[in-house]
Structures are given as structure tokens and as C-alpha cells.
Amino acid sequence: MAFCSLLSTLALLAPRKRHGKKPAMPRRSSWRPPMRRLDVERLESRVLLNGSSLKDEPNDTAASAFDLGKDIFFARTGVAIEPAGDLDFYKFTSPAQTSGQLSILMSIPSGSSLDGRIQLLDSDGSTILAQMDANGPGQSEILVYTSAVPNKTYFVRFASNAISSGEYGFQISFARYHVDATNPQVGDGSLTNPFRTLQVALRTAMAHEGTDEVLVFGNNSTNPQHVYVWRRDGDADGDGVADGNMFYSGERLIFRSQTLLEGGGGQSARVIVKLQNNIIDVGSGAELRAEGQPGFPIIFTSFQDDTGGDTNQDGGITQPQRLDWGGIRFRGDAIPQGATPETGSFFNYADIRYTGARLFDPLRPEIVQGVEFASIRMEKQISGPLAAPVRVHNTTFRHGGKAFDVHFDALAGTGPEIRNITFTDNSINGLFVNIPFQDVNTGQTLDMTLDSQWDDVGIPYVLTQRLNVMARLTINAGMVIKFGQTELNALGSTFPGELGTAAFVFVNGTADQPVIFTSLNDDVLNDTNNDGTASNPGPFYNGPAPGQWGGLHVSQGHIDHAVIRYGGGRVPVNGVLVYAPALDIVNASALGQRFRVSNTEITQTMYNPPEGQTILDAPAIRVGGPVPFGPNQFTHDVLGEVSIVDNFIHDNQGLALLADPSVFSATPHPLGGYGVHIRRNVVENNLVNGMFTLFSRPAVPGGFPFTSRFLGLPPLAYLDDTDIVQVIGTVPNAIASSELQVLFPDDIVYLLSRPGVTPLNPDGSEGFLNRYQGQSAALESFLRQLPKIATPGREADGNSTNNSIATAQFLPSMSFINITPLNVFGTLPTATVLGHLGGDDIDFYSFDAGPGTVYFDIDRYAISTQLPTVDINTALALFDASGTLLAWVDDSNPADPGSTNPPSTFSTDAFLG
């Protein structure tokens, strides 16, 4: 019908090993590393094999040796020489970066009758390379071999002297330093004489060629000095040099919750590390592992914290608090997590407290105010591609700054594996996505160019800067994403920027685990912004509210089973605040969109525009049309495959949906129909419960960054979304080149002409549509701003195309509705036609009607404020279906109540009653 033409995987980073000479250490004292040491290779795994006297048997020969595998460290307990004369053979392979030294400890309980002996055998299982039998019964033996080579198989044979027997345990390690705070001596780093302080251990390792391992043990002591202390201005090892940051590179540092010297070793025990005004700085090629156990965590805390005792000896006067120290920083070229928890950097059962200090960062000396650190900060190289995702399991963050601060490149692939985390009183109880600035002055951020999968369910992700996605972003079911005053842009370009780079968003929620996009003030999952009850709804609280963040700008991908709430607000874009739809499906390439949103709830979006802005600025969903920004704006009018199905759009302050005319494309949709596919959505309690289309959009300061332009229909357009109200705004004199077909006559269609082109009614009010489902005071206020409905004539410029009964333009029944003002036709259903007359033009229109009275009126209609609104000299005639003249009139008689001239008895614009 002619009048309807108005409608329209984690990319695993290989361990970066450092070879050659290490960086020179600061000159500290005349102390030198001990001559005796255990070289450590940082390799894949560490195996604690708990056995019994029978578990590894039979292993009496090299041929039947128990194979320990390939590793840097092996430990075995509860094995035995039983009966007397028994031999135990074990086989193992040296790691790839073996630097020469190998130590084997045969640990024999005190008081045992066992008199042990160790023999290291070559790969043939018979050639003796080294042996040790220095002590008597009940005493341990340690063998040190200095000629080990990489990737070689060795055998070790444990035996007894004379006729002794009994249980024992053993440890085999390649190049390792040991640290135990309970050692009264400085120590040499060996198993039997470990270093007492971390400072000496790390300094020794850093002074040695190659990669070393430093293994730090815990204890169950009540002595407050049996903890590890590292303060910026402190001197824990007494060498006269301030400790500074705990920085190390090229080494492997492991905190393990078990004892070494205490109680014979091997017992579960917590490790306590106390810091002040500094950070743990994991540098190039360095690895950090915190290997706690349930009930025996690795605790990183403030020097003021009296956990483990009153270490600062102030009698409890000072109390620990947030910002006492910075936190743990992984530089971009540190060793990231490995393929399994046994490899790479890892936190398991750790407890991190009182972090978040802003401190001078030697990597960023230009930031004079210092860098705000976090409990765990995962960075990207400043001048390089590497980033360091770190696996964190079963860890508690309490009373600190941001719990996680993660550069978005560290989220590449599947990002850090974060599981089973407890947050208590941190400034951000979640994962802060660190989005670096490209231009601090304008707020323009760098682009995320690496494919990422966000999958840390139970950990809220927090964005406070605009995320520009120029890659594939996948968000797993159950994820919660919280926004400050910002938005997510996945259109493949920045503001402003060239188009064409692919960007995809895949939101894979489920019915049981939807993905939630919401405000930072929303306490779903946890009190992420740590403001306590301040985020509770209510008149005296700063709770979640419509417009607290922007929205999602997407073009390719899908959103399934999600919740989008409290969006539609103003966000900074290139230094200017603009409104953003909660969901914006934009045509950002010449190929058009390919996007689906389904089973998603969109609610509580904002409509409260300041002066000079319009209702169009923040709909719940905007779909179709060209990208609204950048140098290529408005160049892409091709609609792709867009599906909006099975969604719940409710309680939004503004429009439910705003569509550009291109959504009415004649392109068949794979799911049925043409153009955009909108089906089975529930639309309730919005300002306008329908899909609003405007055929012209003016430039509005502070609103969408559009330029004024006419948005035309495609050459052939279809309207076939039968279960949603269509509200159409149009420019009546600019649509004659388009034909729009209504495929289903049951559509509810309202045609609204552009605001500002209809004169005021005689009573001074503007015409408005009063027939609308779910009408409310807010809706009525909105509709009063719009002129009355109209059906366009087929002619573009007055040339005759309907100048006979045979070519008459048909006015369907749905064109006749109740309109105002009532002083023209009262409450009679009325069709308004915007026609074109020129010269001796004659226009015919046809309609169906039953018995009764019919009225006709012709008025001059100004489409521009620059044109005068005056009478035109017209005549009206009414014919029946056979062409018989029923009535006609040349001038108005009686007077035309709707004339724009002063009312007179006879006017030249025809009115027929």
C-alpha cells in the first residue's frame, strides 16, 4: 500500500628464559655468595610423590627402576630399605637448562638404625658417577654432583651399610637455593643450611649465571621474627643497603607452605611475608609461585600486621591499613602461567592484604605522582608485545587496593585462569581491565587488537575506560561486566577512525547463567566498588540507576542470554560527552551487520536529556544504518543479517527500539521475512513500546554525533515484523522514490511527520497522536511534540500519477484513526494525505466506507518554515465506485475550521461536509 512507503584460547607464551650474564647487582658489602650452592633450572613441574615401603617395589635393579620423569625437583617420602640388604633404584632425566650441579638428599629420621648410602649412576644404570656415605645410622646423607648435563637420564641407587634397614625419604634438585626464616645462621642456601632471609637468597641467585630457583619454606613458629620482611627503607639482612623493592629477573621464586628445618621438615605450615612502601616486582624471565595449602596459606601482608607476631615490636600501637604497600607486579616479560597449574607463575591458597599504594615506578619515571599498584597487577611490556597472565586459585584479597589490575593484552586468548577467589574490603573487589590511553588529554584509549575470551566466572570485570575492540571478544556464560561512565565499542575502529578492521563480540550466556552488563554501582555478584550500603537502592543511597554507563556498540557477532541494565548514559568520546544506546547494532562496514541478540533483558536505560537534546539520544536498542562517527560516517547503508528475537525490553525511560530506514531492506533474512528480523520480543513499560524510525536526524549538540542528513529508504522496502508496534517519523516530501510494501496487514503502524513542520492548532497546542497502546503521561508528553499522522501521496513534484479513477491511490482502513484537533472532524476516524498539486493536476484517492457522513478538507501545507502557509485554490469531488459524481465543492462552505487563513465565510481552500 503506497502510504506505507514512509515506513521503513589462551595463546600460550613460551617461557622466556634468560641466558648469559645477569644484570649487575648494586654494590652492597664485602659478602660473597657461598662457594657451595645448588644450581636450579626453572622447568615444568615439581612432583611430590608420597609413597610407602612397598609402593615403588620391585625396584631392586636398574632395569626395574622407578621412573621419576623429567623435572627440576623430586621429593619422595615413606620409602624404605626393607629388608636389610634391599636396593632401591630410581631413574630421572635432567632438565633442559641444567647448569651442572645436582644434589641428592637421603633424609633418615633421627634415631633410626638405617645407615644410608647414595650412588649416582650414569645412563647405563651401572657406571658410578658419584657416591656418598659420610654419616652413621640415623643421620642423613647429601650428595653433590657438579657435572650434570641437560636432558640426560640418570639413575640413583639407595642402599644401607651392614645389615641395617628402615624408612627414609629423598629429594633430588638441580640448582636450587633454600630459604627458612627459622635458621639461626645466615645459611648457604643448601637443604641442611638454608638462607635465613629472602634478600640474601635473591641476591645470590641474581649474581649467578643462568636461571636459579629460590624455594622459600614456612614454619609454625610463634616467634614474630620467623617471618620474611622486606621494606623499602629497611635492611633485613643487615648489609647496610636499603631493601627497596623486591625485584628479581631471570629467577624462579617459590613460596611453599611446608617446613624445612622445623620439626624434621615436610610439615604443613604457612608462609608470612611482610612488606612496607614497596612492591614485589617480578621482572624479565622471572617466575613467582605461591604454593599454599588449605589452612596454610602464603600470606603477603603489611609490616604493621601482627599476624605471626608483633614483628615491628610496637606493642600493637600501629595497625595495618590499605595502601601500606603496593602489591605484586608482573612485568610484561615475566614468566606467565603455564599450560597446567604445575607450570609457570601461579598463586594457590594465597592471602594478599593491605595493598594499593601509589609508588614511584622505575618503569614509568615520567609519572611523577607515582603508579597506583594492585594486589596482583599483570602488565604488558612498555616497548614490546609480551604480556603476563597469571593463574590464581583459591586466594583471598583483603583490605587492599584493586584486587586485580590486568592489562587487556594479558586477557588475550583465555587470559589468566582465575578461580575460587574471596574478596573482602578492596577498593575494587574484582578484576580491573586496564585500558591504556592513547591520548590522555582527549581520553582516547588504545585498541584491543588480540582475540580474547573472558571466562573467569565469579570474578566481576570492571571497565572505567572506553574499550575499543578490534578483534574477537568472547564472553562466557555467567560473566558479570560492570562499567563506570564508559562503554564498549566493537565496531572495528576508534573515535574517530577508519573503518574496515573486523571486530566481533560473542556473548554466550545461558538461561541459567546469563552474562550481565551493568553499572559499577550494581552489587550483583559482590560489592565490587566497595561502598557498602551506598550502592543499595533508596533515596539516601547512590545505588544503581539508569544512565550510569553507556552501552555496547556492536556490528558482528551475537548476544545470547544476557542482561543489559542501567545503561544509556552520557560517556566521554574524544573529550565530548555523548549519549549512547544500551545496545547499538551499527552498520560498520560495507558488508553490513551480522548480529543476533536473543533471550536478553534490556532494562533501566536512561532518558533524561538536558536542554537541546532529544528522545532519540538513548534508546534501549538502536539498530541499522550507517556508522554514526568517523571520517567515513554515513557511507554504509547496507543492512546485513540482524535478528532481535525473544528479548524482554522493559522499564526503560526512553524508546524501546530506534531503527534507521535501512532496517526495512528487501534483502531476505535467513530466519524469514526481509531486512531486520524482529520476533517474539516482550516490550513493556517503556516511553514508547515499539520500534521508532526517523527519516531525518538533525545534529544535536551533546547528542549522537550525527550530522544533519536525510535517511532514505532502500529502493524497495518491506515491513513484516508483525508483533511489534511500528512508529514512523518522516519527511513527507522526500520519500517518493521509495516503495514500501506491508506484507502483513495486521501490523500496527503509526506515521508521524517530522517535528516542527505542522503549524500549531487553533488552540495553541501541537497535534499529537492519542491512539497508542500503553499510553502514559510521559508518552503523551512525547507525542505532543510530534505533528499529526499523514499518508504520503505517490507524487513527488505534482506530476500526475493518480489523475484518474483507474489510477487512484488507495487509502487502507488503517489510515483512518482519531486525531486532534477535534474542531475539524471531531472524533471521526480520519486519514490525512500529504499530496502534491501543480498546474492543472488532478489527484484521485479511493477508500472503503459504509453508510454515514464523510468530510473532506484541503489545506496548504508548509514543509519549511521559509515557505508561507497560505490558501491554495482547489476543488473537491466525491465519486462512487462506478464513477458517478456524488458531491463536489469549489470553495469552503461552510467556513473551513482548519484553514490557516483568518476564518472567513468563503475561502479558496476547499472544505466539503
Side-chain angles (χ1 to χ4, degrees), residues 8 19 41 171 182 224-225 276 282 396 418 434 448 699 775 850:
S8 57
H19 304 286
E41 149 65 9
Q171 295 181 10
T182 65
Q225 303 309 311
Q276 186 179 52
V282 186
T396 298
I418 303 175
N434 193 315
M448 188 180 82
Q775 183 174 340

Side-chain angles (χ1 to χ4, degrees), residues 461-519:
Y461 276 35
V462 175
L463 285 77
T464 60
Q465 304 296 340
R466 190 169 189 270
L467 179 62
N468 295 312
V469 178
M470 297 184 70
R472 300 169 71 93
L473 174 60
T474 301
I475 303 177
N476 283 15
M479 286 295 294
V480 175
I481 317 297
K482 298 188 179 184
F483 294 81
Q485 191 181 359
T486 190
E487 62 186 357
L488 185 151
N489 169 48
L491 302 181
S493 70
T494 57
F495 275 93
E498 294 294 335
L499 306 177
T501 302
F504 300 84
V505 170
F506 302 102
V507 177
N508 299 322
T510 65
D512 295 333
Q513 286 190 301
V515 174
I516 298 176
F517 300 92
T518 188
S519 162

Side-chain angles (χ1 to χ4, degrees), residues 199 229-236 242-245 274-278 303:
Q199 286 83 346
V229 175
W230 199 301
R231 300 187 300 143
R232 183 185 64 187
D233 301 322
D235 183 14
D243 292 340
N245 289 329
K274 298 187 177 183
L275 302 103
Q276 186 179 52
N277 295 327
N278 56 358
F303 181 62

Side-chain angles (χ1 to χ4, degrees), residues 25 28 179 197-204 206 214 216 227-237 241-248 253 255 272-281 300-303 311 324-326:
M25 295 293 292
R28 300 171 66 91
V179 188
T197 66
L198 279 168
Q199 286 83 346
V200 172
L202 285 176
R203 187 166 71 247
T204 302
M206 290 281 287
V214 176
V216 183
V227 301
Y228 301 99
V229 175
W230 199 301
R231 300 187 300 143
R232 183 185 64 187
D233 301 322
D235 183 14
D237 58 357
V241 178
D243 292 340
N245 289 329
M246 188 192 295
F247 169 75
Y248 63 102
L253 177 60
F255 296 90
I272 302 174
V273 184
K274 298 187 177 183
L275 302 103
Q276 186 179 52
N277 295 327
N278 56 358
I279 62 172
I280 298 176
D281 195 352
F300 301 95
T301 188
S302 163
F303 181 62
T311 306
D324 274 354
W325 64 292

